[in-house]
Amino acid sequence: MHIATEIPAPAPRPKRRKAPWLIALAAAAALGGLTYAFTGGEDTVEGFQERPMACSEAMYAMGWVLPDPASDQRCTELSGGLAGHTQSGTFRMARADARPWLASLDGERYPPDGAGSGSVVERKEGLALEILRPTGSLQASRVKVDVRWEGEDTAVVTFETFD
């Protein structure tokens, strides 16, 4: 005689909800892809476009000459929006040539950071200079140049233009 025993069916599994963060992550990825597709991959923020440029080109636009030799050059141009057209960059040069190069830059001298002198300002960590209305074709109202000593022989130059 065979007795049939009934095996109970397993309890239904509760439906798992997808984590809200997973949905948000997927939406952000999709939006990022669409933004990239419509802007061509360029960096854009509220109408601004940033593009890399040669530091020699940036110096030329201000009526200046890039020191020779200059290494590790990284310069960019930001255009559009209310900012108009600005440039910034950094490069390395010989420390011994930094002061003469700064002194050679054309434009009306402005005391950097409220310093009392209208020329190159020497600080413990390097040099600073601000120039109003550089002579080149770039319509900048002011250029700030900072030089930071990097060892006995090298200086790192950073510049930024303001419309």
Side-chain angles (χ1 to χ4, degrees):
M1 176 162 155
H2 180 21
I3 300 178
T5 58
E6 210 171 294
I7 300 175
R13 293 178 121 181
K15 287 188 176 183
R16 290 182 64 183
R17 289 184 41 188
K18 293 185 177 166
W21 62 267
L22 186 58
I23 294 170
L25 181 63
L31 184 59
L34 287 173
T35 301
Y36 183 83
F38 284 110
T39 63
E42 295 180 14
D43 291 334
T44 58
V45 177
E46 297 182 26
F48 296 107
Q49 290 189 347
E50 185 174 329
R51 75 166 183 92
M53 69 183 308
C55 289
S56 58
E57 181 184 346
M59 292 289 124
Y60 181 79
M62 292 182 281
W64 302 345
V65 176
L66 185 68
D68 186 36
S71 63
D72 299 326
Q73 301 174 31
R74 287 182 209 96
C75 294
T76 59
E77 174 181 55
L78 182 65
S79 60
L82 297 176
H85 187 90
T86 63
Q87 298 172 343
S88 63
T90 184
F91 57 87
R92 285 182 170 75
M93 66 180 295
R95 181 175 173 164
D97 297 337
R99 179 180 282 282
W101 178 73
L102 283 178
S104 75
L105 301 179
D106 289 333
E108 181 183 331
R109 304 296 169 129
Y110 180 79
D113 298 332
S117 169
S119 190
V120 177
V121 174
E122 188 160 347
R123 299 182 177 136
K124 184 176 114 178
E125 65 276 359
L127 306 170
L129 174 67
E130 289 192 31
I131 299 222
L132 298 176
R133 296 172 292 285
T135 60
S137 61
L138 182 67
Q139 298 299 311
S141 61
R142 183 172 61 117
V143 181
K144 181 178 180 183
V145 183
D146 286 306
V147 178
R148 183 179 43 86
W149 304 138
E150 186 181 69
E152 294 295 318
D153 299 327
T154 308
V156 176
V157 177
T158 303
F159 71 91
E160 185 174 10
T161 67
F162 302 91
D163 271 351

